């Protein structure tokens, strides 16, 4: 199993120093984080996407990833997730094909509906709130553009029709990988399987991941695709330190303050109020044996990741590590994971795959 680093690009107060970064400092630190990820041996780095929220700086993931591409050679550059229902698939194809050319063929798009998409939808000017329909429509066009670069004809749907359209540049990769992200909705899992696409599964409990992964593989094979081509990734927030009691205490205080504030901000967007759902689930459950947040020593985190791999049999696991940490704290955690967590995970998952 490969390991990647994910950032949502949140702007939050450093729980160690009490300082809050400027947008320049936060964006600079994300680029540095990506560069360090390659140096430490992580296989991939992914950047989330948010619009219209001053608590995030990741409204332009391809620009951020291009800055990382310029300073790396091997790292796979991924999104997490690209809000495809809200974006013109022609422009998405242009942006990420350009990035693929610049990076020498290292780009992978993870498309999805997003957890906080209502504010983004209104800001970008998308009138249709049916993100599921928009996702399917935009995905079909995106895949066709990436496959051929030429659209002889495409009917008008949520965007104007296309006629004899050429989309450039062409990506370096013969088929630029497109994944689908799935959290609480099995429809996204089934959509990925029907298209023969890889899937990133994530949820509020580890058991959800395994259920989604199993369902995906069954639907993938039932759709006539070679089962060997079914690829699965997952994601966890990781808070790691040798002093488990201290880091758990510190992170609980940060989490409760941050999530309560987010829930209050999102009161008018009930269907997108992920923060309220997290509060309802509770810190102890989220960080418990089946929770999505891994808090503890390097040995504990490695044990949880190995257990997840045994359940999911997945190919790639992303770690969110910069929640409430500044550049120095993030770098320290990345080193700790690379030196004490990753070797254990890679050894055990390699043995299970043999």
């Amino acid at each position: 199993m490969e390991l990647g680093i994910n950032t949502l690009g949140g702007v939050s107060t450093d729980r160690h120093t009490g300082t809050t970064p400027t947008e320049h400092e936060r964006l600079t630190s994300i680029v540095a984080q990506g560069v360090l990820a390659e140096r430490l041996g992580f296989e991939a780095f992914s950047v989330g996407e948010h619009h219209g929220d001053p608590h995030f700086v990741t409204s332009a993931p391809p620009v951020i990833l291009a800055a990382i591409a310029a300073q790396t050679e091997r790292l796979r550059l991924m999104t997490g997730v690209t809000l495809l229902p809200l974006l013109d698939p022609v422009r998405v194809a242009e942006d990420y094909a350009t990035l693929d050319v610049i990076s020498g063929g290292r780009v992978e798009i993870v498309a999805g509906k997003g957890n906080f998409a209502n504010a983004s939808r209104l800001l970008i000017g998308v009138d249709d709130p049916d993100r599921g329909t928009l996702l399917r429509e935009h995905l079909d066009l995106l895949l066709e553009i990436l496959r051929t670069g030429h659209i002889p004809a495409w009917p008008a749907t949520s965007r104007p029709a296309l006629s004899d359209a050429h989309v450039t540049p062409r990506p370096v990769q013969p088929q630029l990988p497109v994944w689908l992200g799935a959290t609480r909705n099995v429809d996204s899992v089934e959509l990925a399987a029907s298209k023969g696409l890889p899937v990133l599964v994530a949820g509020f409990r580890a058991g959800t991941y395994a259920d989604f992964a199993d369902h995906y593989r069954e639907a993938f094979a039932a759709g006539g695709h070679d089962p060997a081509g079914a690829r699965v990734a997952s994601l966890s927030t990781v808070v790691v330190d040798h002093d488990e009691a201290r880091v758990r205490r510190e992170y609980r205080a940060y989490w409760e303050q941050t999530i309560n504030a987010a829930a209050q901000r999102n009161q008018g967007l009930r269907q997108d109020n992920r923060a309220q759902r997290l509060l309802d689930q509770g810190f102890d459950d989220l960080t418990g044996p089946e929770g999505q947040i891994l808090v503890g020593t390097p040995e504990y985190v490695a044990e949880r990741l190995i257990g997840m791999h045994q359940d999911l049999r997945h190919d790639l696991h992303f770690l969110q590590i910069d929640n409430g940490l500044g550049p120095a704290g993030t770098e320290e955690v990345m080193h700790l994971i690379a030196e004490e967590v990753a070797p254990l995970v890679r050894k055990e998952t390699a043995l299970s795959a043999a």
Side-chain angles (χ1 to χ4, degrees):
M1 182 178 71
E2 295 179 317
L3 295 174
I5 299 295
N6 167 269
T7 181
L8 298 180
V11 179
S12 58
T13 301
D14 187 325
R15 64 179 190 264
H16 292 161
T17 67
T19 60
T20 302
T22 64
E23 291 178 336
H24 168 75
E25 291 169 338
R26 185 67 181 105
L27 283 166
T28 300
S29 72
I30 291 173
V31 173
Q33 192 177 341
V35 175
L36 180 61
E38 175 169 284
R39 280 178 37 209
L40 294 178
F42 293 98
E43 284 85 4
F45 188 84
S46 70
V47 176
E49 181 176 338
H50 291 82
H51 301 275
D53 190 334
H55 299 87
F56 295 89
V57 294
T58 47
S59 58
V63 178
I64 299 170
L65 290 169
I68 296 171
Q71 302 178 62
T72 56
E73 297 179 352
R74 302 176 306 280
L75 190 72
R76 301 216 304 280
L77 307 167
M78 301 179 65
T79 60
V81 296
T82 296
L83 300 178
L84 191 56
L86 310 185
L87 304 176
D88 181 355
V90 172
R91 190 59 207 238
V92 172
E94 291 175 333
D95 284 346
Y96 288 101
T98 300
L99 178 58
D100 200 55
V101 173
I102 289 172
S103 68
R106 294 186 279 136
V107 172
E108 301 186 26
I109 299 169
V110 183
K113 290 180 286 189
N115 282 314
F116 303 99
N118 263 356
S120 299
R121 177 177 65 83
L122 297 174
L123 177 69
I124 292 173
V126 176
D127 293 331
D128 190 346
D130 185 356
R131 289 179 287 155
T133 298
L134 290 174
L135 176 63
R136 289 187 290 273
E137 290 179 0
H138 291 188
L139 179 65
D140 285 341
L141 180 53
L142 175 64
L143 292 175
E144 186 63 17
I145 293 172
L146 293 175
R147 188 178 68 85
T148 68
H150 176 227
I151 306 297
W154 197 268
T157 52
S158 58
R159 56 148 293 135
L162 293 173
S163 177
D164 194 26
H166 294 267
V167 182
T168 61
R170 298 294 296 137
V172 170
Q173 299 175 82
Q175 184 59 58
L176 192 154
V178 176
W179 300 61
L180 275 186
T183 54
R184 295 171 294 122
N185 195 329
V186 74
D187 291 348
S188 296
V189 172
E190 294 176 346
L191 179 60
S194 71
K195 302 290 184 184
L197 302 178
V199 68
L200 185 149
V201 293
F204 296 147
R205 297 188 64 81
T208 305
Y209 300 8
D211 292 342
F212 275 15
D214 289 343
H215 184 69
Y216 163 73
R217 290 189 178 96
E218 292 171 2
F220 193 94
H225 305 291
D226 181 356
R231 298 169 62 205
V232 177
S234 195
L235 178 148
S236 301
T237 296
V238 172
V239 185
V240 60
D241 193 278
H242 290 115
D243 188 337
E244 181 172 359
R246 178 179 60 80
V247 74
R248 186 175 182 85
R249 182 174 62 252
E250 288 181 357
Y251 186 72
R252 177 192 282 272
Y254 160 80
W255 182 88
E256 290 177 346
Q257 179 181 9
T258 302
I259 298 300
N260 272 294
Q264 289 298 315
R265 290 196 305 271
N266 295 335
Q267 280 301 315
L269 302 171
R270 293 302 302 179
Q271 72 182 57
D272 284 324
N273 202 342
R274 179 175 184 266
Q276 185 60 55
R277 295 196 302 272
L278 293 172
L279 279 176
D280 292 342
Q281 185 171 351
F283 181 84
D284 289 331
D285 190 62
L286 282 163
T287 60
E290 292 293 318
Q292 69 170 10
I293 304 177
L294 315 185
V295 182
T297 63
E299 294 79 12
Y300 171 78
V301 170
E303 180 182 334
R304 284 293 314 278
L305 291 172
I306 292 165
M308 287 181 178
H309 179 69
Q310 290 170 346
D311 290 338
L312 272 71
R313 297 169 284 123
H314 57 322
D315 307 278
L316 171 64
H317 199 103
F318 281 105
L319 312 174
Q320 286 181 353
I321 61 171
D322 57 357
N323 300 292
L325 290 177
T330 298
E331 180 174 343
E332 181 180 346
V333 168
M334 288 180 69
H335 275 279
L336 189 58
I337 293 172
E339 294 164 10
E340 300 189 30
V341 176
L344 296 173
V345 172
R346 291 194 173 108
K347 177 182 177 182
E348 290 300 320
T349 58
L351 287 173
S352 67

